[in-house]
Amino acid sequence: MGDLRVRLADIDAPETAQTCNRDGEDWACGAEAGEVLAELVADRTVICRTRAIDVYGRYVAVCHAGSTNLGMTMVQAGLAIALEGSPQELADAQARLRALRYGIWASEFQVPADWRAAHPRARPQSEIANNREPRSERDTNQPTQEREYRNEFGCAIKGNRSRRGEWIYHLPGRPYYEETRPEELFCTESEAQRAGYRRSRA
């Protein structure tokens, strides 16, 4: 926006050079995500509500083009993922799209943050800062209370022990959550980690 660089809050999307595998063929999912976002903002007034500034100097914001919430629309288009700690409506939308196998959920793809870590040369130099991913917009110098995950049955984080001996926990709204059969349930990530589980990479 002018001279300001803006990152949409609560979501992440495939990078422009990133591909997904759909029906055994490469699909330029990153380029398509960029094209769809460009169409959403073309010739429209975009208003952004800033939450923070990330380590790359980008404004982290919730943005609307008219009445269209850009982050939500990208998730609903199946071209972006909801980040951990995002609003429940984003997580719910993602769960629906994943169940329908729509957009990137109909393909095999690498989580964008993992793809960027594996392809540092594909990222703009302005976004390489000490080889770190952007902080969450909720990261500040002030201590914050850890998010609790609950549903109508109680704690909602699923701890699963795989046949290969891996102890993995899954968060609501994330890939594999619905089909995961838990050995234990936790309310916070730190509880799961203290019990010996690691977060699912998917």
Side-chain angles (χ1 to χ4, degrees):
M1 299 181 69
D3 294 330
L4 302 179
R5 296 172 60 245
V6 179
R7 176 166 68 91
L8 293 178
D10 300 315
I11 72 166
D12 200 0
E15 293 292 317
T16 302
Q18 185 175 352
T19 59
C20 303
N21 187 288
R22 185 170 59 187
D23 298 326
E25 297 183 355
D26 285 342
W27 163 42
C29 54
E32 184 168 330
E35 291 169 2
V36 169
L37 182 60
E39 291 174 1
L40 288 172
V41 302
D43 301 320
R44 303 181 71 184
T45 298
V46 178
I47 298 175
C48 293
R49 185 177 73 254
T50 301
R51 288 185 178 171
I53 299 176
D54 70 14
V55 294
Y56 306 128
R58 297 177 299 186
Y59 287 81
V60 181
V62 176
C63 297
H64 289 77
S67 60
T68 301
N69 182 314
L70 297 177
M72 173 62 83
T73 302
M74 290 298 292
V75 170
Q76 291 174 332
L79 292 170
I81 63 173
L83 294 174
E84 303 295 345
S86 62
Q88 190 61 44
E89 57 265 28
L90 277 174
D92 290 344
Q94 175 172 284
R96 289 193 296 271
L97 270 291
R98 185 170 176 274
L100 292 170
R101 295 186 58 79
Y102 184 82
I104 57 177
W105 305 109
S107 71
E108 296 179 3
F109 68 96
Q110 193 171 18
V111 173
D114 293 341
W115 189 91
R116 287 191 291 270
H119 302 82
R121 294 183 180 179
R123 294 166 56 191
Q125 289 297 312
S126 60
E127 295 182 10
I128 300 175
N130 300 323
N131 200 32
R132 293 187 299 170
E133 279 297 304
R135 295 176 298 178
S136 162
E137 56 269 19
R138 292 171 176 79
D139 287 345
T140 67
N141 292 326
Q142 301 299 320
T144 57
Q145 184 176 357
E146 184 175 12
R147 176 177 176 179
E148 291 190 352
Y149 292 82
R150 296 180 181 273
N151 56 29
E152 63 270 29
F153 304 109
C155 295
I157 297 176
K158 295 181 178 180
N160 175 262
R161 302 170 192 172
S162 73
R163 294 178 180 177
R164 294 182 295 177
E166 295 181 298
W167 289 32
I168 301 171
Y169 67 86
H170 299 263
L171 299 174
R174 300 292 293 170
Y176 310 118
Y177 179 82
E178 294 299 331
E179 59 262 43
T180 294
R181 184 175 174 179
E183 273 77 37
E184 298 182 75
L185 293 170
F186 305 95
C187 289
T188 67
E189 291 191 70
S190 61
E191 289 176 1
Q193 292 163 5
R194 285 195 297 269
Y197 293 85
R198 67 163 176 81
R199 184 195 288 188
S200 169
R201 296 191 179 97

